[in-house]
Amino acid sequence: MENPEIARMLAETADLMEIAGEDPFRIRSYRNAAAAIENHPERIVDILRDPSRDVTAIPGIGKGLAAALREIAERGSFARRDEMLAKYPPTALELLRIPGVGPKTVRALWEHFRVSTIEDLARLCEEHRIRELRGMGARTEQKILEGIAHYRQVAGRFLLNHAAAVAAELAPLVNGTPAGSLRRGKETVGDLDILSTDPGAIGRFLAHPSVHEVLAHGETKASARFGAEGLQVDVRVIPPESFGAALQYFTGSRQHNVALRQRALKMGFTLNEYGLFTVEGQRRVAGDTEEGVYEALGLAWIPPELRENHGEIEAAERRALPALIEERDIRGDLHMHTRESDGRATLEEMAEAARQRGYAYIAITDHSKALAMANGLDEKRAVAFAAEVRRFNASGRGIEVLSGLECDILRDGRLDLAEDALLELDFVVASVHSYMNLEPAEMTARLLRALESPAVKALGHPTGRVLLHRDAYAYEFETVAKEAARRGVWLEINASPERLDLHAALIRRARELGCRFVISTDAHHPKHLANMRYGVQMARRGWLTASDVVNTMEPGALRAALRRQA
DNA sequence: GCCGTTTTCGGCCCGACTGTTTTCAGTCG
């Protein structure tokens, strides 16, 4: 059993215990243990198997949880979990994912109505029976229905990093290439397409232990759900002479392909997943490589991230596609957290992980005090932290650390910390974490006011969206982007797979308005630094080149740019 | 449940909003 699976088991048990109304501190222990295990570099089952090792050496694992872990390793579950599952059906966990529905509501639904599925809950709301519960009224029924609608809208879609992880496991197994929205770097993925020319691909795919619920199984295509999360994966076997055409076809997008096929017809060709053929005589013109298909259509090869029919075909015809930024252009990461607030590693550990990635610099940007739940820094701690960073840099560790802060933007647009303290720091990214449903005009004014401070160098996760969970907050993006450009405040492209904020369309628009960008992972753990690839992909989808992105600069140039901003 | 003791108990981040209440419970971050 792998660590993420163990972690999920503990977290689900914690959710069920919360529904049961058990001691909140005990529940937190389960959640802490789940987080510790999820992020642990070694397999927990290996540690358990080794008599010279002690699993309680992991912070957050004590005697009780160690016993539970041994039980999980032995039989795939543990007593507390079994007990909880005897009390509440597993479908109750899904109800918790509806915005506005929490553990107390789930418990009341089960005790009063024996309801634990989304379908039944929706019916109760429609029949106005929720109001039979104490403290619930018509407005609550309406809110729950809205929450269910939102949940259904995002159900069945997966975050980019999840699809990428599945692809990384399956593609080598089937000698395949991932296509589809994953290859285009779209922020969420509905299903995963993998193309292969290996006739044995389908057999090996279906034999994988995490493959279940086979939806289709033929000579050239198999379709199945993968893993506990159930991402649908399609594996297709393609004749080698058609591989390029198939890769093009299955990468999409649909709009891009439609435009490409129209172009082919005008040129006397017909394009499908098997190749590019002459209309007269069906003679094969291209198909073994993607480059060949585009070339035969008079186009430069188009990077997958641009294939949305948003002008890329015209640019490819003029040979005027931008030289898109690449991950290797990135020289540092300017947004990350440590244990000082809600991160899980130390300054030293984050810096070392960044150095191993080949970065020249990072900024440590812990939260500010308004985020009390994250143990955010006040002025005194922020200034002390800057001194600590100076000491670190003086010790010569092969990477330059900038002292920074992710400073909360308060409701009225003021910054959470006093300006003189902020000006002691090298890099301040200002972010909204509260009051996210203000009226658009008020939110716009709030952001404009935050941009006024000379201490603010960047605007963090500028729209506040959380993928599959929460929409962007409403404000006049154009107005704010223009002001950011005028003041030289950079817009963050937050590379966390849960956010990917800004998205492509806004990046492109902001660039037209003169903005510059910083791509940042918002890492809370060393392993999150690897999420940079998703931010770069989002920047590519926004047509950015390396010169649009400030953290492609060498350290000296970046320092100079930061001074100019002040 | 874990942890760190002032070492076997007591503390463990908390403030604000919403919808329902008439003093508060539930949810969220």
Side-chain angles (χ1 to χ4, degrees):
Chain A
M1 183 156 351
E2 300 303 319
N3 291 353
E5 202 176 335
I6 297 173
R8 191 169 54 244
M9 211 169 267
L10 294 177
E12 285 178 359
T13 304
D15 284 347
L16 289 166
M17 287 163 69
E18 199 164 24
I19 292 168
E22 297 202 15
D23 173 29
F25 295 112
R26 178 173 297 186
I27 293 165
R28 183 187 297 169
S29 293
Y30 278 80
R31 295 229 167 93
N32 284 342
I37 287 170
E38 166 124 56
N39 289 321
H40 200 72
E42 286 175 278
R43 294 176 84 221
I44 295 298
V45 286
D46 290 343
I47 299 174
L48 290 167
R49 218 174 276 142
D50 183 345
S52 71
R53 305 287 303 280
D54 181 8
V55 76
T56 63
I58 301 171
I61 312 288
K63 272 177 67 177
L65 276 158
L69 291 174
R70 277 193 294 275
E71 222 182 321
I72 290 173
E74 265 170 40
R75 61 179 193 90
S77 185
F78 63 108
R80 170 76 71 170
R81 176 169 181 266
D82 297 342
E83 179 195 331
M84 286 297 129
L85 284 173
K87 226 166 165 175
Y88 302 103
T91 53
L93 293 167
E94 203 183 359
L95 293 183
L96 288 174
R97 296 178 57 185
I98 300 168
V101 175
K104 297 290 157 45
T105 305
V106 172
R107 180 182 184 176
L109 288 168
W110 181 245
E111 289 185 348
H112 287 80
F113 301 112
R114 291 283 139 179
V115 157
S116 72
T117 66
I118 292 179
E119 292 68 34
D120 288 346
L121 174 57
R123 208 185 52 242
L124 282 178
C125 292
E126 281 155 5
E127 291 170 355
H128 304 308
R129 295 189 56 205
I130 294 294
R131 60 189 69 175
E132 294 169 20
L133 297 173
R134 193 180 155 71
M136 305 277 209
R139 187 75 195 94
T140 308
E141 286 167 348
Q142 191 53 38
K143 263 194 82 172
I144 292 176
L145 280 175
E146 286 165 14
I148 289 174
H150 183 266
Y151 178 79
R152 283 181 171 154
Q153 202 185 346
V154 303
R157 291 202 72 82
F158 293 83
L159 295 179
L160 190 55
N161 62 330
H162 178 70
V166 175
E169 172 140 14
L170 287 177
L173 178 73
V174 303
N175 292 319
T177 306
S181 46
L182 174 68
R183 184 165 179 241
R184 299 203 313 280
K186 203 155 180 290
E187 44 266 71
T188 62
V189 172
D191 50 29
L192 172 60
D193 294 298
I194 301 179
L195 310 184
S196 175
T197 55
D198 178 350
I202 286 180
R204 291 202 299 281
F205 167 51
L206 293 178
H208 191 286
S210 295
V211 162
H212 59 91
E213 202 182 325
V214 177
L215 307 164
H217 176 196
E219 297 254 314
T220 62
K221 178 193 162 184
S223 183
R225 295 198 180 279
F226 185 91
E229 301 83 359
L231 172 65
Q232 183 181 326
V233 180
D234 295 348
V235 172
R236 295 166 199 276
V237 175
I238 313 288
E241 69 273 16
S242 293
F243 186 77
L247 186 57
Q248 195 289 311
Y249 181 87
F250 287 110
T251 296
S253 66
R254 183 178 300 147
Q255 293 83 343
H256 176 86
N257 287 355
V258 166
L260 221 54
R261 286 198 294 269
Q262 285 170 349
R263 180 182 177 88
L265 279 175
K266 272 191 208 150
M267 297 173 71
F269 300 125
T270 167
L271 177 65
N272 58 36
E273 62 265 51
Y274 299 104
L276 183 69
F277 303 91
T278 55
V279 172
E280 308 263 323
Q282 291 291 302
R283 187 173 55 81
R284 170 184 293 274
V285 177
D288 57 337
T289 69
E290 230 184 19
E291 289 81 355
V293 171
Y294 282 102
E295 202 48 54
L297 292 170
L299 301 172
W301 178 80
I302 300 175
E305 292 92 339
L306 300 186
R307 299 183 194 174
E308 302 290 342
N309 195 27
H310 288 160
E312 73 280 7
I313 294 173
E314 294 76 4
E317 181 175 39
R318 298 196 313 272
R319 309 280 153 172
L321 287 167
L324 298 180
I325 183 172
E326 297 182 31
E327 195 178 359
R328 64 165 180 264
D329 295 324
I330 299 291
R331 303 292 289 130
D333 191 336
L334 297 181
H335 184 164
M336 67 188 69
H337 299 269
T338 70
R339 289 200 185 131
E340 194 68 19
S341 65
D342 62 349
R344 300 196 66 86
T346 62
L347 187 164
E348 287 77 11
E349 287 163 344
M350 296 304 282
E352 174 57 21
R355 194 191 61 77
Q356 282 177 19
R357 289 181 60 79
Y359 288 162
Y361 52 82
I362 56 170
I364 302 285
T365 53
D366 274 305
H367 288 289
S368 65
K369 65 177 189 281
L371 227 55
M373 62 171 259
N375 188 26
L377 279 65
D378 59 14
E379 283 82 354
K380 201 173 154 208
R381 283 173 65 203
V383 170
F385 171 72
E388 188 187 334
V389 166
R390 280 193 291 274
R391 280 194 298 277
F392 179 90
N393 285 329
S395 66
R397 310 284 187 94
I399 187 164
E400 183 172 357
V401 176
L402 303 183
S403 60
L405 190 77
E406 181 179 17
C407 187
D408 258 56
I409 300 173
L410 303 179
R411 178 174 184 154
D412 60 3
R414 281 181 305 120
L415 296 174
D416 188 22
L417 298 198
E419 195 159 88
D420 55 347
L422 294 177
L423 285 169
E424 298 253 331
L425 301 166
D426 298 316
F427 181 75
V428 173
V429 51
S431 306
V432 165
H433 293 113
S434 59
Y435 304 101
M436 283 179 263
N437 48 3
L438 300 181
E439 286 302 310
E442 198 179 351
M443 184 62 92
T444 305
R446 174 189 189 183
L447 292 171
L448 290 176
R449 182 165 179 197
L451 294 179
E452 285 174 14
S453 167
V456 172
K457 310 296 186 193
L459 184 60
H461 41 74
T463 77
R465 74 171 179 177
V466 178
L467 291 164
L468 306 185
H469 181 67
R470 184 178 76 207
D471 290 335
Y473 39 73
Y475 67 98
E476 294 165 30
F477 179 77
E478 296 259 323
T479 309
V480 173
K482 271 182 208 158
E483 185 64 7
R486 193 178 75 78
R487 291 186 178 271
V489 175
W490 305 329
L491 297 187
E492 180 177 88
I493 297 172
N494 189 294
S496 164
E498 287 83 30
R499 291 189 183 269
L500 294 175
D501 178 13
L502 297 169
H503 66 69
L506 293 182
I507 292 171
R508 229 175 142 182
R509 182 64 188 133
R511 184 187 188 226
E512 288 168 2
L513 295 170
C515 290
R516 298 192 82 196
F517 303 86
V518 53
I519 308 176
S520 304
T521 61
D522 201 351
H524 286 66
H525 186 279
K527 73 174 184 184
H528 295 157
L529 294 176
N531 288 333
M532 184 59 78
R533 57 186 281 211
Y534 304 116
V536 170
Q537 223 167 3
M538 202 53 48
R540 289 168 64 85
R541 288 175 64 78
W543 293 55
L544 296 191
T545 66
S547 61
D548 297 312
V549 175
V550 298
N551 51 320
T552 62
M553 286 192 272
E554 294 304 318
L558 181 78
R559 285 269 185 199
L562 285 170
R563 277 196 299 275
R564 273 198 306 279
Q565 272 183 312

